[in-house]
Amino acid sequence: EAQVTQNPRYLITVTGKKLTVTCSQNMNHEYMSWYRQDPGLGLRQIYYSMNVEATDKGDVPEGYKVSRKEKRNFPLILESPSPNQTSLYFCASRLAGVYNEQFFGPGTRLTVL
Amino acid sequence: AQKVTQAQTEISVVEKEDVTLDCVYETRDTTYYLFWYKQPPSGELVFLIRRNSFDEQNEISGRYSWNFQKSTSSFNFTITASQVVDSAVYFCALSDRNFNKFYFGSGTKLNVKP
């Protein structure tokens, strides 16, 4: 089944404890992206990647890191999480080029205490 | 700067009523794309439609229709004869010409009551 998977789906952590949220897709998509969803703000793009070793900042990259060493994986790294990073995170992927629909993962709900 | 505004935070209607969700965007690009996504209570994001900046034709898909007007920078979404299953949060979004950077509105929560 074609899908975007995220792990973990739920995570409660404490301030300053490094964490990684994984995102994997099995559709051989070139493009991948991370978003956060907050009440009243909608989704905001954190980082995106056009292909392996090609990443760029979205609208709200501060406090996050990403890497794209393999085509199928695009992990989101929070080196020192803070409570304002408590949010619902979505990963998405699509084929390169325009007119290709973005497929979203199921979301990861992160709480930073 | 790019921006998408969905001024309606929440709308409640009774089943079979028509409802329009408003979306206003700002961009300096001449080539851009507009989208609508649905997020049902289960939480996943469902793609509904994409429209490019050169195509102002309205589109109808079943009970759904979209009205794109460049003159007012609006891309409104109408559900005709709403159903309870239409209850969801709907997001309007804008992307750059390369489909790389995306900007979402804050969403409109639609409650359709039986």
Side-chain angles (χ1 to χ4, degrees):
Chain A
E1 181 190 353
Q3 59 183 350
V4 179
T5 57
Q6 295 179 225
N7 282 294
R9 294 289 314 281
Y10 303 90
L11 178 61
I12 301 174
T13 189
V14 296
T15 299
K17 187 177 180 183
K18 181 179 179 179
L19 66 93
T20 298
V21 183
T22 65
C23 173
S24 183
Q25 48 91 9
N26 61 1
M27 297 169 278
N28 203 35
H29 287 171
E30 291 85 3
Y31 177 97
M32 297 185 75
S33 185
W34 275 105
Y35 299 87
R36 60 178 289 175
Q37 181 179 354
D38 301 289
L41 296 176
L43 281 84
R44 293 178 292 168
Q45 191 174 34
I46 303 171
Y47 271 97
Y48 64 93
S49 169
M50 294 77 71
N51 213 324
V52 175
E53 302 293 0
T55 62
D56 207 347
K57 296 177 182 178
D59 227 19
V60 290
E62 298 79 18
Y64 304 95
K65 282 177 57 176
V66 293
S67 68
R68 188 91 182 274
K69 294 186 172 65
E70 305 168 281
K71 200 172 187 180
R72 64 182 293 130
N73 296 323
F74 189 43
L76 180 69
I77 304 155
L78 285 72
E79 296 262 359
S80 183
S82 62
N84 64 13
Q85 292 178 298
T86 291
S87 188
L88 177 59
Y89 291 87
F90 286 98
C91 179
S93 73
R94 63 171 178 81
L95 286 168
V98 297
Y99 296 127
N100 291 311
E101 177 190 340
Q102 231 177 159
F103 292 87
F104 284 85
T108 294
R109 186 163 294 280
L110 172 66
T111 302
V112 183
L113 302 175
Chain B
Q2 277 87 341
K3 185 179 178 182
V4 176
T5 301
Q6 295 179 255
Q8 304 152 310
T9 306
E10 188 165 351
I11 301 174
S12 292
V13 299
V14 176
E15 211 170 15
K16 297 184 184 174
E17 283 185 22
D18 299 347
V19 58
T20 295
L21 309 182
D22 297 332
C23 173
V24 174
Y25 63 92
E26 295 175 31
T27 180
R28 291 183 183 173
D29 294 342
T30 53
T31 302
Y32 53 89
Y33 298 87
L34 296 164
F35 306 79
W36 277 95
Y37 288 88
K38 175 182 180 179
Q39 187 176 48
S42 50
E44 73 271 24
L45 284 155
V46 179
F47 166 80
L48 295 177
I49 189 172
R50 173 198 59 245
R51 180 58 91 217
N52 75 52
S53 53
F54 297 108
D55 183 1
E56 284 194 72
Q57 277 195 353
N58 292 334
E59 180 152 343
I60 298 174
S61 176
R63 297 184 296 106
Y64 295 171
S65 62
W66 292 269
N67 181 269
F68 175 29
Q69 292 197 336
K70 281 179 82 168
S71 60
T72 56
S73 297
S74 64
F75 186 43
N76 296 336
F77 173 30
T78 297
I79 302 175
T80 302
S82 59
Q83 300 177 359
V84 172
V85 293
D86 295 327
S87 296
V89 179
Y90 291 87
F91 292 101
C92 180
L94 165 74
S95 83
D96 64 3
R97 63 183 301 140
N98 297 316
F99 249 53
N100 285 334
K101 300 196 82 167
F102 283 78
Y103 305 88
F104 282 74
S106 55
T108 296
K109 184 176 183 182
L110 175 64
N111 302 305
V112 182
K113 300 175 183 178

